[in-house]
Amino acid sequence: MTQSVVILGGGTAGWMTASYLRAAFADRVDVTVVESRRIGTIGVGEATFSTVRHFFDYLGLSEADWMPECNGTYKLAVRLENWRAPGTYFYHPFERMRVVDGVPLTDWWQKVGASGHFDRDCFLIPWLCDAKASPRHLDHRLFEQDFDEAPDRPLFRTTLAEQNTQFPYAYHFDAALLADFLSRYAVRRGVDRIIDDVVDVRLDEQGWIAGLVTREHGELTADLYVDCSGFRSRLLGDALAEPFVSFQDALPNDRAVALRVPADTAAQGIRPCTTATAQDAGWIWTIPLYDRIGTGYVYAGDYCEPEEAERALREFVGPAAADLEANHIRMRIGRSQRAWVNNCVGIGLAAGFVEPLQSTGIFLIQHAIEQLVRYFPGTNRDPVLRDTYNLSTARAIEGVREFLILHYRGAARADNDYWRDAKSRAVPDDMAQRLEQWQSRLPDNDTTYPYYHAFEPYSYVCMALGLGGFPLRHPPVLDVVDARAARAELARVREQARTLVDALPSHVEYLASLRR
Ligand code: FAD
């Protein structure tokens, strides 16, 4: 018997879920998306994490298929500006750490580092970002071949679970264009699309969803309901009244104001990274797309009024912001206690969100969808499937919370109440001990959050070194071992970086070649 899923919501979460379920199950599962014309999508969410590559692979989409249509660009890193002090910056690259004689290169760098910039001394990607270079040659080869692209099978399905190395980049894209692209992909493959409002939710006597009542299309019924209704959380939060666990005591940013800034990127060049610039009450994102810049100020309402935030953002952007309309957004930071309750699974903002620093919203959606496919219940009501899914998705978002807390705890910046208070906010119980350990020793496998949440220990190392707030020192053993191999490796990074910057086309040149 064909099984059925109804997805409420046609934002990034709704269409990612619909297209992925179709790719996974083909016509063995009927999928319907109902989305409102009256209620808009959130309209932000344009930077991704490097795992997103698996999503497009799974759908059988090449970069040439979707990037030009969604004004896509490459993202090789996050560039963090002013977190240590005004005028400073460092990169958090999608590039694993080199190891010399069993010791991470950044540990060696603390002892023998040459330039004072750990990122440029230990990694290649910061050089590519500074040079606005493409991560691919014009013949499409990646700048490094650690990641198995299986050239004989260019479009093969992979999942997060199979990722065995750090893919060296993620993407930026126009969120509205991507949702539109995915909706066409999904509808072409048989997903039903209904434009209507869900005005009521009917529950049966056990509290399971029995149907979604729409304004014009009657009642929609299914075996499984997926709530992708955004911060409204119309099914999980409203109808099923699942409690919400707020993260705001640890991460106070609960508002954002965003602008879409037209830009002549071909003339200016496109730096292949997201920039996060620290501000008085939060930080500003700068996301370069092919035809414009997406930018926004994420801030804490307790420290900054919306008008003040908009003024700061407009000043940051300069004259190009003059006639642009600002989009003010309230954010609900935290997670539903359970993301899957009875026959309803929340995905995207409906289930939870941690502020957009390090761009994890779409990663969490992708992770949730993969888990849903893995634990897909069909008509089975086994609670173990739900419990396992809930554990896995809760662990992922809590890991992200921990990584983001590090940004504020670890930042040397303490020049006003917002930044000073960040140093004394509550942290989750088991993080307190890890924070202690990071004061004197760089994070590693044994001292970072133990469950899958996409970030590896090297990411924590980049933060600890770049943010500048911890009194770190090199491991004492490095005083009594030979450092020649480490010095040679540091020199090799520099040499490879020089060769690559000379050989790679510019980011703009490569993207233009995809459009021909
Ligand atoms: P929405 O986009 O809000 O979509 C909700 C959908 O539900 C809409 O289609 C609406 O019509 C429909 N709907 C709601 N109620 C009804 C109803 N009653 N009847 C019918 N339809 C209904 N993530 C990243 O990965 N990278 C980023 O850089 C990033 N930046 C962000 C910046 C900010 C300020 C915020 C707030 C989020 C950011 N995110 C980011 C998160 C990202 O935007 C979201 O995860 C993503 O867009 C998914 O949104 P959504 O689909 O869950 O909800």
Side-chain angles (χ1 to χ4, degrees):
M1 193 180 72
T2 310
Q3 296 169 1
S4 57
V5 176
V6 166
I7 299 169
L8 171 58
T12 311
W15 285 114
M16 280 180 72
T17 306
S19 45
Y20 200 94
L21 292 183
R22 207 63 194 171
F25 303 133
D27 55 8
R28 290 177 288 277
V29 176
D30 283 340
V31 179
T32 301
V33 173
V34 54
E35 60 180 323
S36 166
R37 214 185 285 289
R38 214 173 36 85
I39 305 169
T41 60
I42 191 93
V44 284
E46 311 203 305
T48 56
F49 192 71
S50 60
T51 48
V52 76
R53 157 68 189 258
H54 297 288
F55 175 80
F56 290 105
D57 272 355
Y58 196 85
L59 265 50
L61 292 167
S62 74
E63 290 174 353
D65 292 333
W66 72 268
M67 283 182 81
E69 288 206 44
C70 303
N71 282 328
T73 59
Y74 291 115
K75 168 184 173 183
L76 281 70
V78 178
R79 173 179 159 118
L80 291 107
E81 293 182 349
N82 302 352
W83 289 74
R84 179 187 279 262
T88 60
Y89 73 89
F90 69 96
Y91 288 100
H92 167 214
F94 292 130
E95 180 178 343
R96 276 202 180 137
M97 182 83 66
R98 297 172 190 225
V99 175
V100 177
D101 288 341
V103 178
L105 191 57
T106 37
D107 273 335
W108 284 110
W109 176 87
Q110 289 189 96
K111 167 111 178 105
V112 297
S115 77
H117 297 291
F118 80 93
D119 50 352
R120 279 149 274 182
D121 283 346
C122 299
F123 298 98
L124 300 173
I125 280 180
W127 298 86
L128 271 53
C129 290
D130 279 344
K132 299 184 179 174
S134 158
R136 288 188 183 277
H137 297 272
L138 286 172
D139 62 5
H140 310 299
R141 268 177 309 121
L142 270 174
F143 75 92
E144 53 109 336
Q145 285 296 343
D146 225 16
F147 187 85
D148 177 13
E149 288 209 286
D152 51 328
R153 289 181 302 146
L155 293 174
F156 70 115
R157 285 184 170 195
T158 57
T159 61
L160 298 179
E162 293 153 75
Q163 172 154 327
N164 58 4
T165 186
Q166 170 68 66
F167 191 70
Y169 62 72
Y171 308 106
H172 304 123
F173 46 65
D174 183 310
L177 294 180
L178 184 78
D180 191 47
F181 180 89
L182 291 179
S183 70
R184 281 182 277 126
Y185 171 99
V187 168
R188 264 201 312 275
R189 284 163 181 75
V191 169
D192 278 335
R193 177 185 207 178
I194 295 177
I195 312 275
D196 203 345
D197 292 338
V198 168
V199 290
D200 198 12
V201 180
R202 204 167 55 77
L203 301 184
D204 67 16
E205 55 284 359
Q206 276 126 31
W208 292 52
I209 296 179
L212 307 187
V213 182
T214 64
R215 205 182 291 281
E216 293 168 7
H217 291 76
E219 185 169 315
L220 307 176
T221 58
D223 299 311
L224 184 73
Y225 298 84
V226 183
D227 186 355
C228 294
S229 64
F231 284 134
R232 282 176 183 78
S233 195
R234 182 70 185 85
L235 308 183
L236 198 58
D238 271 9
L240 298 175
E242 182 63 11
F244 188 75
V245 182
S246 172
F247 292 169
Q248 216 164 328
D249 52 347
L251 293 170
N253 294 348
D254 59 352
R255 287 170 179 268
V257 52
L259 292 172
R260 296 167 158 238
V261 185
D264 185 356
T265 50
Q268 294 161 4
I270 301 176
R271 194 182 282 145
C273 61
T274 303
T275 301
T277 309
Q279 299 291 313
D280 285 348
W283 58 280
I284 287 178
W285 78 76
T286 304
I287 297 178
L289 305 182
Y290 193 73
D291 64 337
R292 69 168 166 85
I293 308 278
T295 186
Y297 187 178
V298 177
Y299 62 98
D302 284 347
Y303 294 80
C304 179
E305 294 299 323
E307 305 72 42
E308 212 180 326
E310 184 174 332
R311 207 174 322 117
L313 179 62
R314 287 186 186 281
E315 264 169 39
F316 180 84
V317 172
D323 299 320
L324 303 177
E325 193 183 332
N327 175 13
H328 285 268
I329 300 163
R330 271 177 179 273
M331 304 187 298
R332 196 177 66 135
I333 302 299
R335 65 174 177 87
S336 290
Q337 199 161 294
R338 293 170 300 171
W340 182 344
V341 178
N342 301 342
N343 57 347
C344 173
V345 181
I347 293 185
L349 301 175
F353 180 56
V354 197
E355 62 150 291
L357 189 56
Q358 299 285 354
S359 319
T360 55
I362 290 165
F363 156 70
L364 290 168
I365 293 170
Q366 181 187 4
H367 177 253
I369 299 171
E370 268 197 22
Q371 299 305 301
L372 178 58
V373 167
R374 184 165 175 204
Y375 299 113
F376 193 73
T379 49
N380 189 312
R381 292 195 163 191
D382 183 355
V384 173
L385 294 171
R386 298 196 291 278
D387 293 348
T388 318
Y389 175 95
N390 285 332
L391 188 63
S392 163
T393 52
R395 281 176 169 167
I397 194 169
E398 292 193 348
V400 170
R401 169 179 64 175
E402 183 156 327
F403 184 52
L404 297 195
I405 291 173
L406 167 61
H407 290 60
Y408 299 96
R409 278 293 183 125
R413 196 172 167 166
D415 53 317
N416 65 13
D417 284 349
Y418 174 86
W419 289 98
R420 276 189 292 275
D421 292 352
K423 310 294 181 281
S424 56
R425 264 178 223 297
V427 296
D429 286 346
D430 45 354
M431 185 185 179
Q433 189 196 0
R434 293 195 272 271
L435 260 176
E436 283 280 304
Q437 290 164 324
W438 301 338
Q439 297 291 322
S440 54
R441 182 181 141 202
L442 286 175
D444 60 21
N445 261 328
D446 298 318
T447 61
T448 45
Y449 186 80
Y451 304 108
Y452 179 73
H453 61 297
F455 296 101
E456 299 182 13
Y458 91 83
S459 291
Y460 288 75
V461 168
C462 291
M463 291 306 135
L465 286 173
L467 293 164
F470 295 152
L472 294 162
R473 57 185 172 271
H474 65 264
V477 65
L478 299 189
D479 291 329
V480 289
V481 290
D482 189 343
R484 269 178 299 182
R487 285 206 175 85
E489 192 60 30
L490 289 164
R492 193 155 29 244
V493 171
R494 204 152 273 238
E495 191 46 45
Q496 285 175 343
R498 250 186 237 121
T499 309
L500 279 172
V501 165
D502 284 347
L504 287 163
S506 79
H507 191 192
V508 170
E509 191 182 358
Y510 183 80
L511 293 176
S513 79
L514 283 185
R515 294 172 168 247
R516 278 185 214 120

